[in-house]
Amino acid sequence: MGLFSIFMGAALVNNYVLSKFLGICPFLGVSKKVDTSLGMGIAVTFVMTLASIITYLVQVAVLERLGLQYLQTIAFILVIAALVQFVEMFLKKSSPSLYEALGVYLPLITTNCAVLGLAIINIQEGYNLLETIVNSLGAAIGFTVAIVLFAGIRERLETADVPEALKGFPIALITAGLMSIAFLGFSGLSL
Amino acid sequence: MNVLKAVGALGALGLAFGVILAFASKVFHVVVDPKITQVREALPGANCGACGLPGCDALAKAIAAGDAPITACPVGGASTVEAISKIMGIEAYAGEKMVARVLCKGNYDRTNKKYIYQGIMDCKASAMIQGGDKACEYGCLGNGSCQAVCPFDAIHVVNGVAVVDPEKCTACGKCIVECPKHIIELVPYKQQVVVDCSNHLFGKAVKDDCKVGCIGCKICEKACPFDAIHVVDNIARIDYEKCTNCMVCAEKCPTKAITALLEDRKKAYILPDKCIGCTICAKNCPVQCISGELKQLHVVDEEHCIGCGVCYEKCPKDAIIMK
């Protein structure tokens, strides 16, 4: 399987939000405005790529060597939490403007299940390091595309004539479901 | 054995990350002005936005940078100001406590309505229609916009006129901005005599609209022993710096537009055992109600004493008390 097909597969066909249903909570929570959802998408892209590299190294260098694969979940959570903290400190020092731009989203990502899910899937699929990086980049961009599209729709829904009972969250969930069905169309993509 | 290996590996991982993070927090330490942190701790932390900035963090930053006064937080009160003044090394300008005051007392018993207003209960809305439904075009509209905007529940509309509760008022100024008639002002908390009228018309024109309006007759101006009240643009205004709360103006005011609690008026009283008969009090009394010979005990004519407190302040022997 070529790198391109891994990338497209992660971004569109097996979109992490809309077909694997990972990272639903930021998807619903931070999608009221296109600007903020874009910020969240960029922050997720940043952390996902870094986290998958580090978790891959931890998996190969520590867990597999010691035969401790069953500790994968808890070890990865530890890695991701520490990594996000580290990234936050690093950004605050080296790039205050980026830190301000990402703002509150950075710590929020610690609890984003898409990051953990991606790290585990990378191992399950048996990717090597390069494939891991491409896959996580694809997944992260897929997440960004999904959340920005969703936010765009929700912005328009604000002014739409929605039935009383469906106003607010219910219509958002229906929209997410319809988007998910739409993304199902990509499964016909032959790569 | 397996358990030990798992515990060891995870523990080592955790320790490694801990060390890296601890190290990183030193290396990537961003120097934050310690004043910001301290000021932030001194603030109430309610993030109410009454200061006009988004949250206490923003205010702490502004105070530390000197962009906001240390009294900027209207919620914290005196204790907060004191704490911040210690941190910032600025002497707290304790100042006089000020409170908002609605300069109108034309309630529905004292003034008439031009028409029946049936629109939304908002002063700005009703002011658009012929300046509101009150006969007096300068008066309080009584729709309670100030009441709605007050964060401290300190202003309430009573019978068509907003009244401030001086105990609750923090002088945040929100009602002053809100009032479309611009009749709310900050007045010293201790001030007992206030001209509660904002009508700039003269004489009969005022009387037709309101029973308690200031008609601009200047009787108060002539009666004031301290040159503290002046009629400008047909309305009496008190200079709170000069006013001694003697209440002479309120007594003389023909329409009772000047509010004062005459029952609470104090009288000077000379303590016989302390008075040395220096005559300073008698010389300074604006109404000449103190009499007595040199080196003799002086007496106050309580009938005529206005309770201005000038003799009390001038007496070198602290022989005069106000009660």
Side-chain angles (χ1 to χ4, degrees), chain B residues 219-236:
Chain B
I219 288 177
C220 50
E221 199 176 301
K222 286 174 198 126
C224 181
F226 304 101
D227 191 37
I229 189 162
H230 292 279
V231 175
V232 181
D233 202 9
N234 293 327
I235 182 94

Side-chain angles (χ1 to χ4, degrees), chain B residues 193 195 214-232 235-238 246-254 257-258:
Chain B
V193 187
V195 184
C214 171
I215 53 174
C217 65
K218 299 195 179 181
I219 288 177
C220 50
E221 199 176 301
K222 286 174 198 126
C224 181
F226 304 101
D227 191 37
I229 189 162
H230 292 279
V231 175
V232 181
I235 182 94
R237 281 283 167 256
I238 295 174
C246 73
M247 306 186 188
V248 168
C249 52
E251 229 172 12
K252 294 276 164 76
C253 180
I258 305 177

Side-chain angles (χ1 to χ4, degrees), chain A residues 42-58:
Chain A
I42 291 167
V44 166
T45 308
F46 192 65
V47 173
M48 261 190 175
T49 315
L50 262 177
S52 61
I53 296 168
I54 309 271
T55 50
Y56 180 82
L57 294 177
V58 167

Side-chain angles (χ1 to χ4, degrees), chain A residues 112-129:
Chain A
N112 187 345
C113 52
V115 180
L116 179 66
L118 175 80
I120 290 175
I121 285 168
N122 279 336
I123 308 296
Q124 276 172 358
E125 294 285 324
Y127 290 143
N128 61 27
L129 186 56

Side-chain angles (χ1 to χ4, degrees), chain B residues 39-49 55-57 73 75-76 80:
Chain B
V39 172
R40 174 66 186 78
E41 277 163 14
L43 289 169
N47 289 320
C48 65
C56 296
D57 280 330
C73 178
V75 182
T80 303

Side-chain angles (χ1 to χ4, degrees), chain A residues 83-97:
Chain A
L83 179 73
V84 173
Q85 280 294 312
F86 181 81
V87 168
E88 199 181 344
M89 282 188 243
F90 177 75
L91 282 185
K92 204 172 180 180
K93 178 76 173 178
S94 61
S95 170
S97 54

Side-chain angles (χ1 to χ4, degrees), chain B residues 146-321:
Chain B
C146 49
Q147 184 177 332
V149 82
C150 179
F152 306 101
D153 191 37
I155 191 164
H156 293 280
V157 175
V158 182
N159 196 16
V161 171
V163 180
V164 177
D165 178 351
E167 302 306 323
K168 286 185 183 167
C169 180
T170 62
C172 69
K174 288 198 173 180
C175 54
I176 297 173
V177 177
E178 192 69 14
C179 180
K181 293 289 184 184
H182 310 293
I183 57 169
I184 308 181
E185 251 182 32
L186 287 182
V187 170
Y189 175 76
K190 285 185 193 142
Q191 184 68 25
Q192 290 169 2
V193 187
V194 181
V195 184
D196 279 329
C197 181
S198 306
N199 195 314
H200 288 287
L201 298 176
F202 181 75
K204 189 173 181 302
V206 181
K207 279 213 155 169
D208 287 347
D209 294 338
C210 179
K211 287 178 193 156
V212 289
C214 171
I215 53 174
C217 65
K218 299 195 179 181
I219 288 177
C220 50
E221 199 176 301
K222 286 174 198 126
C224 181
F226 304 101
D227 191 37
I229 189 162
H230 292 279
V231 175
V232 181
D233 202 9
N234 293 327
I235 182 94
R237 281 283 167 256
I238 295 174
D239 181 343
Y240 300 125
E241 301 254 309
K242 287 184 184 168
C243 179
T244 61
N245 289 317
C246 73
M247 306 186 188
V248 168
C249 52
E251 229 172 12
K252 294 276 164 76
C253 180
T255 61
K256 299 295 160 217
I258 305 177
T259 311
L261 278 171
L262 284 167
E263 311 87 73
D264 290 354
R265 199 177 199 182
K266 295 198 168 87
K267 297 278 177 196
Y269 176 73
I270 299 176
L271 300 169
D273 47 337
K274 281 194 178 169
C275 180
I276 55 165
C278 67
T279 74
I280 289 176
C281 55
K283 279 181 197 149
N284 281 292
C285 179
V287 288
Q288 281 86 41
C289 73
I290 301 179
S291 53
E293 293 298 314
L294 187 67
K295 297 198 176 165
Q296 296 291 311
L297 175 65
H298 282 55
V299 274
V300 178
D301 175 4
E302 295 210 354
E303 273 290 288
H304 294 106
C305 176
I306 55 171
C308 64
V310 169
C311 52
Y312 167 76
E313 273 168 31
K314 296 281 179 187
C315 179
K317 292 287 168 188
D318 292 329
I320 300 178
I321 52 170

